[in-house]
Coordinates of all heavy atoms in Angstrom, one line a residue:
A603 N 98.7 103.4 87.0 CA 99.6 102.2 87.2 C 99.2 101.4 88.5 O 99.4 100.2 88.5 CB 101.0 102.6 87.2
T604 N 98.6 102.1 89.4 CA 98.2 101.4 90.7 C 97.0 100.5 90.5 O 96.8 99.6 91.3 CB 97.9 102.5 91.8 OG1 96.8 103.3 91.3 CG2 99.1 103.3 92.1
H605 N 96.3 100.6 89.4 CA 95.2 99.7 89.1 C 95.7 98.4 88.6 O 94.9 97.4 88.6 CB 94.3 100.3 88.0 CG 93.5 101.5 88.5 ND1 92.3 101.8 87.9 CD2 93.7 102.4 89.4 CE1 91.8 102.9 88.5 NE2 92.6 103.3 89.4
A606 N 96.9 98.2 88.2 CA 97.5 97.0 87.6 C 98.1 96.1 88.6 O 98.9 96.5 89.5 CB 98.5 97.3 86.5
N607 N 97.7 94.8 88.6 CA 98.3 93.8 89.4 C 99.8 93.7 89.0 O 100.1 93.5 87.8 CB 97.6 92.5 89.1 CG 98.1 91.3 89.9 OD1 99.3 91.0 89.9 ND2 97.2 90.6 90.6
P608 N 100.7 93.8 90.0 CA 102.1 93.8 89.7 C 102.7 92.4 89.1 O 103.7 92.4 88.5 CB 102.8 94.1 91.0 CG 101.8 93.9 92.0 CD 100.5 94.0 91.4
D609 N 101.9 91.4 89.3 CA 102.3 90.1 88.8 C 101.8 89.8 87.4 O 102.5 89.2 86.6 CB 101.9 88.9 89.8 CG 102.6 89.0 91.1 OD1 103.8 89.3 91.1 OD2 102.0 88.7 92.1
T610 N 100.6 90.2 87.1 CA 99.9 89.9 85.9 C 99.8 91.0 84.9 O 99.6 90.8 83.7 CB 98.5 89.3 86.1 OG1 97.7 90.4 86.6 CG2 98.5 88.1 87.1
G611 N 99.9 92.3 85.4 CA 99.7 93.4 84.6 C 98.2 93.8 84.3 O 97.8 94.8 83.8
E612 N 97.3 92.9 84.8 CA 95.9 93.1 84.6 C 95.4 94.2 85.5 O 95.7 94.3 86.7 CB 95.1 91.8 85.0 CG 93.6 91.9 84.9 CD 92.9 90.6 85.5 OE1 93.6 89.6 85.7 OE2 91.7 90.7 85.7
R613 N 94.5 95.0 85.0 CA 93.9 96.1 85.8 C 92.8 95.5 86.6 O 91.7 95.1 86.0 CB 93.4 97.2 84.9 CG 94.6 98.1 84.4 CD 94.1 99.3 83.8 NE 95.2 100.1 83.4 CZ 95.2 101.3 82.8 NH1 94.0 101.8 82.6 NH2 96.3 101.9 82.5
D614 N 92.9 95.3 87.9 CA 92.0 94.6 88.7 C 91.5 95.3 89.9 O 90.8 94.8 90.7 CB 92.5 93.2 89.0 CG 93.8 93.3 89.9 OD1 94.3 94.4 90.2 OD2 94.3 92.2 90.2
A615 N 91.9 96.6 90.1 CA 91.5 97.3 91.3 C 91.4 98.8 90.9 O 92.3 99.4 90.3 CB 92.6 97.2 92.4
R616 N 90.3 99.4 91.3 CA 90.1 100.9 91.0 C 90.6 101.7 92.2 O 89.9 102.3 93.0 CB 88.6 101.1 90.8 CG 88.1 100.3 89.6 CD 86.8 100.6 89.2 NE 86.7 102.0 88.7 CZ 85.7 102.7 88.5 NH1 84.5 102.1 88.6 NH2 85.7 103.9 88.1
V617 N 91.9 101.8 92.3 CA 92.6 102.4 93.4 C 92.3 103.9 93.4 O 92.0 104.5 94.5 CB 94.1 102.2 93.3 CG1 94.9 103.0 94.4 CG2 94.4 100.7 93.5
L618 N 92.4 104.6 92.3 CA 92.2 106.0 92.3 C 90.8 106.4 92.7 O 90.6 107.4 93.5 CB 92.5 106.6 90.9 CG 93.9 106.3 90.3 CD1 94.1 107.0 89.0 CD2 95.0 106.7 91.3
T619 N 89.8 105.7 92.2 CA 88.4 105.9 92.6 C 88.3 105.6 94.1 O 87.6 106.4 94.8 CB 87.5 105.0 91.9 OG1 87.7 105.2 90.5 CG2 86.1 105.2 92.2
A620 N 88.9 104.6 94.7 CA 88.8 104.3 96.1 C 89.4 105.5 96.9 O 88.8 105.9 97.9 CB 89.5 103.0 96.4
L621 N 90.5 106.0 96.5 CA 91.2 107.1 97.2 C 90.3 108.4 97.2 O 90.2 109.1 98.2 CB 92.6 107.4 96.6 CG 93.6 106.3 96.9 CD1 94.9 106.5 96.1 CD2 93.9 106.2 98.4
T622 N 89.7 108.7 96.0 CA 89.0 109.9 95.9 C 87.5 109.8 96.3 O 87.1 110.5 97.3 CB 89.1 110.5 94.5 OG1 88.7 109.5 93.6 CG2 90.5 111.0 94.2
R623 N 86.8 109.0 95.7 CA 85.4 108.9 96.0 C 85.1 108.2 97.3 O 84.4 108.7 98.2 CB 84.6 108.1 94.9 CG 83.1 108.1 95.1 CD 82.4 107.1 94.2 NE 82.8 105.8 94.5 CZ 82.8 104.7 93.6 NH1 82.4 104.9 92.4 NH2 83.2 103.5 94.0
D624 N 85.7 107.1 97.6 CA 85.4 106.3 98.8 C 86.1 106.9 100.0 O 85.5 106.8 101.1 CB 85.9 104.8 98.6 CG 85.1 104.1 97.5 OD1 84.0 104.7 97.0 OD2 85.6 103.1 97.0
L625 N 87.3 107.4 99.9 CA 88.0 107.9 101.1 C 87.9 109.4 101.2 O 88.4 110.0 102.1 CB 89.5 107.4 101.1 CG 89.7 105.9 101.2 CD1 91.1 105.5 101.2 CD2 89.0 105.4 102.5
G626 N 87.4 110.1 100.2 CA 87.1 111.5 100.2 C 88.3 112.4 100.0 O 88.2 113.6 100.4
L627 N 89.4 111.9 99.4 CA 90.5 112.8 99.1 C 90.2 113.6 97.9 O 89.6 113.2 96.9 CB 91.8 111.9 98.9 CG 92.2 111.1 100.1 CD1 93.4 110.2 99.7 CD2 92.6 111.9 101.2
S628 N 90.7 114.9 97.9 CA 90.5 115.7 96.7 C 91.4 115.3 95.5 O 91.0 115.5 94.4 CB 90.8 117.2 97.0 OG 92.2 117.3 97.5
E629 N 92.5 114.6 95.8 CA 93.4 114.0 94.8 C 93.7 112.6 95.2 O 93.7 112.3 96.4 CB 94.7 114.8 94.6 CG 94.5 116.2 94.0 CD 95.9 116.8 93.9 OE1 96.5 117.1 94.9 OE2 96.3 117.0 92.7
P630 N 94.0 111.7 94.3 CA 94.3 110.3 94.6 C 95.7 110.2 95.2 O 96.7 109.8 94.5 CB 94.2 109.6 93.3 CG 94.5 110.6 92.3 CD 94.0 111.9 92.8
T631 N 95.9 110.6 96.5 CA 97.2 110.6 97.1 C 97.4 109.4 98.0 O 96.4 109.0 98.7 CB 97.5 111.9 97.8 OG1 96.4 112.1 98.8 CG2 97.5 113.1 96.9
L632 N 98.6 108.9 98.1 CA 98.9 107.9 99.1 C 100.4 107.9 99.2 O 101.2 107.7 98.3 CB 98.5 106.5 98.6 CG 98.8 105.4 99.6 CD1 97.6 105.4 100.7 CD2 98.9 104.0 99.0
G633 N 100.9 108.3 100.4 CA 102.3 108.4 100.7 C 102.8 109.8 100.7 O 102.0 110.8 100.3
R634 N 104.0 110.0 101.1 CA 104.6 111.3 101.2 C 106.0 111.3 100.5 O 106.8 110.3 100.8 CB 104.8 111.7 102.7 CG 105.3 113.0 102.9 CD 104.1 113.9 103.1 NE 104.5 115.3 103.3 CZ 103.6 116.3 103.1 NH1 102.4 116.0 102.8 NH2 104.0 117.5 103.3
L635 N 106.3 112.3 99.8 CA 107.7 112.4 99.2 C 108.6 112.9 100.3 O 108.4 114.0 100.8 CB 107.7 113.3 98.0 CG 109.0 113.6 97.4 CD1 109.6 112.3 96.8 CD2 108.9 114.7 96.3
L636 N 109.6 112.1 100.6 CA 110.6 112.5 101.6 C 111.9 112.7 100.9 O 112.4 111.7 100.3 CB 110.7 111.5 102.7 CG 109.4 111.2 103.6 CD1 109.7 110.1 104.6 CD2 109.0 112.5 104.3
L637 N 112.6 113.8 101.1 CA 113.9 114.1 100.5 C 114.9 114.1 101.6 O 114.7 114.7 102.7 CB 113.9 115.4 99.7 CG 112.9 115.5 98.6 CD1 113.0 116.9 97.9 CD2 113.2 114.4 97.6
L638 N 116.0 113.5 101.3 CA 117.1 113.4 102.3 C 117.5 114.9 102.7 O 117.7 115.7 101.8 CB 118.3 112.7 101.7 CG 119.5 112.3 102.5 CD1 119.0 111.3 103.6 CD2 120.5 111.6 101.7
S639 N 117.7 115.1 104.0 CA 118.0 116.5 104.4 C 119.5 116.7 104.8 O 119.9 117.8 105.2 CB 117.1 116.9 105.5 OG 117.4 116.2 106.7
G640 N 120.2 115.6 104.7 CA 121.6 115.7 105.1 C 122.4 114.5 104.6 O 122.1 114.0 103.5
V641 N 123.2 114.0 105.4 CA 124.0 112.8 105.1 C 123.1 111.6 105.2 O 122.3 111.5 106.1 CB 125.2 112.7 106.1 CG1 126.0 111.4 105.8 CG2 126.1 113.9 106.0
G642 N 123.3 110.7 104.3 CA 122.5 109.4 104.3 C 122.9 108.5 105.4 O 123.7 108.8 106.2
G643 N 122.3 107.3 105.4 CA 122.7 106.3 106.4 C 121.9 105.1 106.1 O 121.4 104.9 105.0
T644 N 121.8 104.2 107.1 CA 121.1 103.0 106.9 C 119.8 103.0 107.7 O 119.7 103.4 108.8 CB 122.0 101.8 107.5 OG1 123.3 101.8 106.8 CG2 121.3 100.5 107.4
I645 N 118.8 102.5 107.0 CA 117.5 102.4 107.6 C 117.2 100.9 107.7 O 117.4 100.2 106.7 CB 116.4 103.1 106.8 CG1 116.6 104.6 106.7 CG2 115.0 102.8 107.3 CD1 115.7 105.3 105.8
R646 N 116.8 100.4 108.8 CA 116.5 99.0 109.1 C 115.0 98.8 109.4 O 114.4 99.7 110.0 CB 117.4 98.5 110.2 CG 118.8 98.5 109.9 CD 119.6 98.0 111.1 NE 121.1 98.0 110.8 CZ 121.9 99.0 110.8 NH1 121.4 100.2 111.1 NH2 123.1 98.9 110.5
V647 N 114.5 97.6 109.1 CA 113.2 97.2 109.4 C 113.1 97.3 110.9 O 114.0 96.9 111.7 CB 112.9 95.8 109.0 CG1 111.6 95.3 109.5 CG2 112.9 95.6 107.5
G648 N 112.0 98.0 111.4 CA 111.8 98.2 112.8 C 112.3 99.5 113.4 O 112.1 99.8 114.5
D649 N 113.1 100.3 112.6 CA 113.6 101.6 113.0 C 112.4 102.5 113.4 O 111.3 102.5 112.7 CB 114.4 102.3 112.0 CG 115.9 101.8 111.9 OD1 116.3 101.1 112.9 OD2 116.6 102.2 111.0

């Protein structure tokens, strides 16, 4: 799904290949899953 332009739906970028072949990752990873560890709250831009 990361290959698709969010406005047009056209596949226009080889994101998975860039992550693995070009950046040398063993899997096409980008980002971290973060789970809430307690009570929620407000997050603001610039925090």
